[in-house]
Every structure is written in C-alpha cells, then in structure tokens.
Amino acid sequence: MTRYADPRRCPDCAAPVTPGDAACLECALPLRGETAGRLFATLTLADELLGLLRTAPSASAAPVPAGRLDPAPFAPASFAPAPYPVTAGSRRPRRPRMPRALRALRAASVPAVLLTLGAGCLLVAAVVFLAVAWSVMGVGGRTATLVALTLVAGGLASGLARRGLRAAAESLGLVGYGLLALDIAGADHARWLGDLSASGLLAVLGAALAATGVAGALLVRRATPLPASVAGELAAAVGVGLGTLAATTSDSLPPAARLVLAVLLSAAGTGLARALRLPAASVGAGVVTLLAWVALAGYGLARTDEHDATWHTLWAGLEAWPLLAAAALAAGGSLLRRLPRPARVGAVAVAESLLCWAALAPVSHLSVTTMTLAAVGVLAATGAATWLLPRPWSLTGALTQAVDGVLGAVAAVGLVLACLARVVAAAEPVWGGRPGDRLPALDGGDALPAPWLLPVLVLAVAGTVLALDRAGRTAGQAFPRYGGRGLAGVVAASVVAALASYPVPVWLVLGMLLGCAAAAVGWWCGAVPTARSTGHGRAPIALLAGATAFLLAAVGLSLHAPALSAAVAA
C-alpha cells in the first residue's frame, strides 16, 4: 500500500530517519522548520485523498468535499502517523494563485485571438463581396444573400453561446452585427429605404445596432450560462454613437438645438444601459455623452465670444442659451446619486465656470482695467461662497477661482515688473538727480491694468487662497500661523509699488520704503517678549527678512541723489 507521508522515511531519498532528527543522514535534507511542516502536511493530504479513492465504491459516488479534509472520518488509523518535527506556525499549503499576467494571457488565449482574426476576415470578405458582386446579382439575390449571411452568423453565435463557447460566440456575434450594418448600407444604396439623407441613414443604422445589441446581450445573459454578450454591448454603444452623430448632423434643427438633442439622446442611452446592467454599453454611451457635451460647450463658448455685444444682446437676445444649456446639463450630473461625490462636485464646478463666462463675456471686449475689476468681483463672490458652503460643496468654485486667480496673479506680476523697471531707471545715473525729481508715469499701454489695482489684486488672490485652505485644508495650519505676517508684507510692498507707478517725487517712495522697514523691525521687537513668554524661544525671522528687503530697495532707490543716500545711511 503506497503511503506518501511516512515519518520514518526521508521524503527525498527514502532513507530511514528518526522522528527527532533535524536532517536526513543520507541527503542532508532539512526535516525541521516551516517548510518541512508544509511538505509533510501536503503529503498527508495526498494520503487522505488516496484513502478516499480507495474506499469509494465508484468514481461518481464519493465526491471530494470542498475546503480542508478532516483525516479522522475518511482515512484509516494507519494514516495518522506522527509528523516530522514541525513548528507551531506550520499549516497546510494553500493553492498558489496564478500571476495576473498569466491570467491575462490565459484569458486572451490562442483560440480567442484566432477567432477574432477570423471574424475580421469574414467582415472584410463580406465587404469585398458587396463591392464586386453587388452590381451583378439581382435584387432578390442581393436580399437573400445578405439576409442569409446575417441569419447564419446570428444563429451560429446563439448556438455557440448556449454551449458556453464564449470566444467563438463573441466573434460570430461581431460578424453578425457587422453584416447587419452592411445590410442597412446596401439597402440604402439600392433605395429600399427611400431617399434617406446622410443623417437619416446614420439614425436608422444607430437604432438598428442599438436595439439588436441590447436584445442580443440580454438574450445571451438570460438563456445561456454566459454573462451578457460583450459584442452586443459594443454594438449598442456604437448604435448610440451613430444616433448621436445623426442628431448633430441633421438639417431639420438649428446647430445649438441639434447639440442639445444629441446630449439628451446619448444620456438617455447611458441611463438605459445602466438600468439594464450592461457595463460595457454604459461606458461606451457615457463616453459619447461626454463628447457631445464638450461639443455643445465649445459651440456655446464660441458663440458668446463671436458676438461683440452687451449683456442685453446676450441674455435678452438668447445668444448665450447654448452655454446656459451646457451649464444646466453639467449641473444635472450632480443629481445622479450613483456618481461618486468628487465627480458630482466637479460637475457643479464646471457649470459654475460656464455661468461666470456667460455673465462676463461682454467684459472681454473692454479695457484691461475693467476685465481685472470683473475678475476681482468673481474672486470675491466665489470666495464668499467657498467660505460659507459646507464641505465638500465649498470646493465647487475651485475651478473658477483657479482660472481667475492665475489671471489676477499674472496681472499683478506684470505691474510689479514694470514698477521695478522704473525704479531701476530712476537710479541711473548714480547720484545724477535731485531729491525732488518725479518718477515718470507708468506706460503699460493696453497690456496692464491701472496701477491702483495692484493691492486689490493681492488681497483678492490672498483671500481666495485662504478660503480654499479653509475648505480643503490644502496647506494645513501653515497659512493661519505664518501667512498673516507674510501677507502684511506683501500688501505693504504692493502699496509702495502702486504708488511708485505714478509720477510722484522720489523722496516720497523712499520714505515709504524706510517706513515699511521700520514697521517690520518694530513688529519684530514687539514679538520678542511674546515669543519668550509663550515658550517659542525667538520671534519669527520673516519680519527681519521683510525689513531687509525694504531696506535694500530703499538703498537702490537712494542712488538717485546724494542727499537721499545720506538719509538712508543715517
């Protein structure tokens, strides 16, 4: 009688061993440790299965129970030997899992690849047949041939699906749907469907593919052991795409109405596929819906940008309604409970950005100062909403705030660079001027806003950052602890830069720089006792850094006149 788990024999060379030995004396195989315990457990399991097979009256009368086998009720007493010396953590080995790459390779097996290639070859042969034999065969022959080929492909796909042959059923299903598309195209070419336009043909073809695809997927899922047919779901998604394309190319409606209809049709197809639990079809129809919505939003943006009109023309004349429709459809996505919350918040954020553009589109044709004021107003309104709304809906204005904040920061940087250029020009030649000389006026042309907007821009951008920090905690507690001192310094610098952008005396700007430096040093001196009393040990070094920056700027500007340099040195 064969036995695999024998504690008196080495499992490798079958030499006699003693239960207390640490290794085999013949082959030096280790007999202690977790690996040895797992080996003995595996051999014991093999003995148990072998005992079951011996005691079973037939192969079908003794099914193997799932899970672990208890050796007591199945194996004889002789099949319970003392195991090798095993550690306490030893256990029976689990069935090793196949690596993901091997599972993917097994799923895409050679027969599946060959069947897919064969389906493609059949479709190419059908196209060649139509191209060559269409003008030779009569109407009856054409109809009979196309219908026969389609029915044969559908019948074979159904039969293979009932037998559980998924790859073959999917391949022939693709062939059947491709032949159906060729049937409709050929029927239109023969004028069997009447005088259809291009959009009408796309609509008929899309409806046929969507209906047959959904029907085929549901029939396969209900009448066979296979899940829903992927070929049917793909055909349904393609049908939704063709129907959407037909709606956008129709001449019976205006362009904006066609785009809105396309979005609604594709969204309805997505919802129907979702309700029928067809994942591939719902994903494909969802992509089509997204593309249709992007086309609608792009058309609305272009339409509002092309009309150099007032708010009355855009709103009362209904020129902005496509953009409003796109915003409404995007906001409608937030009502879908099945979508994840970040997607719903993002949908509201996109809708808010479109509404802001629709409201401020006429401002884009006005002066830079007016556009900057509009951007500041938008930042103030969205910042207040971000501060008041609960999380995570407080982040719905993040997209609008990001765009307007970047534009405001760019305008502020442009003003600062222009001011620095004027200050550098005032310091040349060294000591060649007088203290009462005036700075030249800032000539930024139409590219820069009014200089007095620089502190306003700084405050608007800082308030936006603070509101977003409070809503999302993107910067933790760093901004509330250290940002106040830095913000005060930046605002003071912006006030000085805005003043220096006007034709004011040089000594006035120099005095403001020295005053800011003295204020920063005084703040630091006042913060020293507070820091020592609270245990921080030292006052924040950022105040001294700001004072140093103001003092260096004053030294550079004082080179305009000897008296100014003497005043700074004093």
Side-chain angles (χ1 to χ4, degrees):
M1 181 180 295
T2 304
R3 181 198 291 180
Y4 296 102
D6 191 351
R8 294 177 296 276
R9 291 181 178 273
C10 175
D12 189 13
C13 62
V17 295
T18 305
D21 292 343
C24 177
L25 300 178
E26 296 293 334
C27 62
L29 182 72
L31 299 178
R32 288 182 178 272
E34 182 178 358
T35 305
R38 292 173 59 187
L39 175 61
F40 189 81
T42 304
L43 297 177
T44 304
L45 180 60
D47 288 335
E48 294 170 1
L49 296 176
L50 187 59
L52 284 175
L53 292 178
R54 288 171 181 157
T55 57
S58 62
S60 60
V64 179
R68 293 185 177 181
L69 296 177
D70 187 3
F74 296 104
S78 59
F79 284 3
Y84 300 123
V86 182
T87 59
S90 301
R91 56 184 180 181
R92 293 186 178 182
R94 296 181 178 179
R95 181 179 180 182
R97 296 186 61 185
M98 186 180 297
R100 183 176 299 178
L102 294 181
R103 292 200 302 269
L105 181 62
R106 184 176 180 180
S109 58
V110 175
V113 173
L114 292 179
L115 286 171
T116 304
L117 293 176
C121 293
L122 285 177
L123 289 178
V124 172
V127 173
V128 173
F129 166 76
L130 288 179
V132 175
W134 189 259
S135 59
V136 179
M137 301 176 63
V139 176
R142 301 169 191 170
T143 306
T145 303
L146 289 175
V147 172
L149 289 175
T150 306
L151 292 177
V152 167
L156 289 177
S158 176
L160 292 174
R162 292 179 182 277
R163 293 179 177 270
L165 301 176
R166 182 180 182 86
E170 298 288 356
S171 301
L172 284 177
L174 289 176
V175 172
Y177 291 119
L179 289 176
L180 177 62
L182 292 177
D183 292 344
I184 296 176
D188 176 71
H189 183 72
R191 297 293 187 271
W192 295 344
L193 302 178
D195 192 6
L196 291 178
S197 60
S199 59
L201 176 61
L202 289 175
V204 172
L205 183 57
L209 287 178
T212 56
V214 170
L218 294 180
L219 288 176
V220 168
R221 186 172 63 189
R222 293 179 180 178
T224 66
L226 298 178
S229 172
V230 178
E233 294 188 46
L234 293 179
V238 172
V240 172
L242 292 178
T244 303
L245 184 61
T248 57
T249 56
S250 177
D251 297 331
S252 58
L253 294 174
R258 295 199 300 260
L259 291 173
V260 172
L261 179 61
V263 175
L264 294 177
L265 286 177
S266 56
T270 305
L272 180 61
R274 179 81 178 181
L276 295 176
R277 294 181 292 111
L278 302 176
S282 60
V283 170
V287 172
V288 174
T289 305
L290 180 60
L291 293 177
W293 181 88
V294 169
L296 175 62
Y299 177 79
L301 291 173
R303 184 168 176 172
T304 55
D305 187 63
E306 288 176 358
H307 292 79
D308 187 5
T310 61
W311 283 284
H312 181 271
T313 305
L314 285 177
W315 293 86
L318 299 180
E319 293 293 342
W321 84 265
L323 195 60
L324 298 179
L329 290 173
S334 63
L335 302 178
L336 301 177
R337 298 289 183 179
R338 295 182 178 180
L339 289 179
R341 181 168 292 182
R344 296 165 60 193
V345 174
V348 177
V350 172
E352 180 182 351
S353 300
L354 294 180
L355 288 177
C356 290
W357 176 255
L360 302 179
V363 181
S364 62
H365 304 287
L366 301 179
S367 63
V368 180
T369 301
T370 305
M371 289 190 295
T372 305
L373 281 174
V376 170
V378 170
L379 286 178
T382 53
T386 301
W387 193 274
L388 297 176
L389 289 175
R391 298 173 64 184
W393 299 104
S394 57
L395 295 175
T396 53
L399 180 60
T400 304
Q401 290 171 326
V403 175
D404 286 348
V406 169
L407 294 178
V410 169
V413 170
L415 288 173
V416 171
L417 293 179
C419 178
L420 289 177
R422 296 175 70 254
V423 171
V424 172
E428 296 177 353
V430 178
W431 294 340
R434 295 177 298 177
D437 292 341
R438 292 179 176 271
L439 294 172
L442 179 62
D443 186 15
D446 297 333
L448 294 176
W452 62 269
L453 281 174
L454 182 57
V456 179
L457 285 173
V458 171
L459 289 175
V461 174
T464 300
V465 173
L466 181 60
L468 290 176
D469 176 74
R470 183 177 182 272
R473 291 299 176 189
T474 55
Q477 298 296 329
F479 188 89
R481 184 173 180 181
Y482 301 109
R485 304 180 183 94
L487 177 60
V490 173
V491 171
S494 65
V495 172
V496 176
L499 180 65
S501 301
Y502 290 96
V504 296
V506 177
W507 62 265
L508 179 60
V509 179
L510 184 64
M512 292 194 66
L513 289 173
L514 292 177
C516 292
V521 173
W523 193 354
W524 181 80
C525 292
V528 170
T530 304
R532 291 178 178 176
S533 62
T534 55
H536 289 90
R538 59 180 181 179
I541 200 66
L543 295 175
L544 288 181
T548 305
F550 281 117
L551 186 59
L552 291 177
V555 170
L557 184 60
S558 67
L559 297 178
H560 178 74
L564 297 178
S565 296
V568 172

